[in-house]
């Protein structure tokens, strides 16, 4: 896990809400503190849809959810804080695992590869995360995931 402090919060939020940079990521969870607290679980309620095949993903895409977030934070008063957990889509996780195939990890062993975005009015921190279904003392794959996520986000914050 690595931690990156975002120095240009406005630029990052603009990218988060208006660019396509994060659109393919999946919303795992969102917490927002404004006049009231909001908590959104990003899991898809498949019963909501008429066509069962319409959603095959476990989580909604950030592209679908970012407008809800924008509607909740827009206004003249900044939110007290928020936390957003965004995960790589399954196909991207699979590609990351296959790229590191010499490590002997299978795609189904990796649950989530995430960005955890924390804002508290004073600063914004983005940490990376990796959830695996199996335990290993070998830290090569977690370090590879951190580097992959860091390179991806540096395009946004630099």
């Amino acid at each position: 896990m690595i931690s990156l402090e975002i120095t240009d919060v406005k630029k990052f939020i603009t990218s988060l809400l208006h660019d396509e940079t994060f659109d393919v990521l999946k919303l795992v969870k969102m917490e927002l503190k404004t006049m009231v607290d909001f908590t959104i679980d990003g899991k898809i309620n498949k019963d909501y849809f008429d066509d069962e095949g319409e959603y095959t993903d476990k989580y909604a895409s950030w592209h679908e959810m970012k407008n809800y977030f924008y509607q909740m934070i827009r206004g003249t008063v900044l939110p007290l804080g928020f936390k957003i957990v965004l995960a790589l889509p399954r196909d991207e996780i699979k590609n990351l695992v296959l790229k590191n195939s010499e490590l002997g990890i299978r795609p189904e062993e990796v649950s989530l590869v995430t960005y955890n975005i924390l804002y508290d009015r004073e600063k914004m921190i983005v940490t990376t995360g990796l959830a695996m279904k199996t335990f290993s003392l070998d830290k090569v794959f977690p370090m590879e995931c951190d580097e992959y996520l860091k390179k991806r986000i540096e395009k946004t914050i630099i």
Side-chain angles (χ1 to χ4, degrees):
M1 179 177 85
I2 57 172
S3 178
L4 304 167
E5 185 166 355
I6 307 300
T7 53
D8 191 342
V9 174
K10 185 176 180 177
K11 180 180 176 185
F12 185 83
I13 296 283
T14 298
S15 180
L16 187 67
L17 294 175
H18 301 295
D19 296 346
E20 296 177 359
T21 308
F22 297 93
D23 282 2
V24 299
L25 300 177
K26 302 299 179 179
L27 176 65
V28 177
K29 185 175 186 176
M30 179 171 54
E31 297 171 0
L32 175 64
K33 290 182 133 343
T34 60
M35 181 178 74
V36 296
D37 292 346
F38 296 95
T39 302
I40 295 177
D41 182 350
K43 289 182 184 167
I44 297 287
N45 292 319
K46 295 187 187 222
D47 294 339
Y48 177 78
F49 302 98
D50 294 333
D51 182 7
E52 289 185 27
E54 189 170 346
Y55 270 94
T56 57
D57 290 325
K58 184 175 182 177
Y59 298 104
S61 72
W62 178 246
H63 174 73
E64 296 168 304
M65 300 303 296
K66 67 183 179 181
N67 193 48
Y68 293 107
F69 179 72
Y70 176 71
Q71 294 302 321
M72 290 187 282
I73 67 166
R74 74 179 217 185
T76 56
V77 180
L78 290 172
L80 295 171
F82 60 79
K83 175 183 179 180
I84 301 172
V85 180
L86 298 174
L88 293 180
R90 288 303 313 164
D91 60 337
E92 209 165 325
I93 290 173
K94 183 178 179 180
N95 291 339
L96 186 58
V97 170
L98 294 176
K99 180 182 160 200
N100 293 282
S101 61
E102 73 280 356
L103 299 175
I105 296 170
R106 298 183 324 270
E108 58 272 10
E109 293 178 75
V110 181
S111 299
L112 292 171
V113 179
T114 63
Y115 288 110
N116 306 295
I117 304 165
L118 301 165
Y119 170 74
D120 70 0
R121 269 197 172 176
E122 292 181 23
K123 63 183 174 185
M124 180 177 284
I125 304 287
V126 177
T127 59
T128 59
L130 171 66
M132 296 196 54
K133 296 176 184 173
T134 57
F135 176 76
S136 173
L137 291 173
D138 186 354
K139 300 302 176 201
V140 175
F141 184 68
M143 289 174 17
E144 288 293 324
C145 290
D146 288 342
E147 193 58 35
Y148 177 81
L149 293 172
K150 182 180 176 186
K151 284 180 184 174
R152 183 182 179 134
I153 203 167
E154 281 178 341
K155 296 175 188 172
T156 304
I157 60 177
I158 292 178

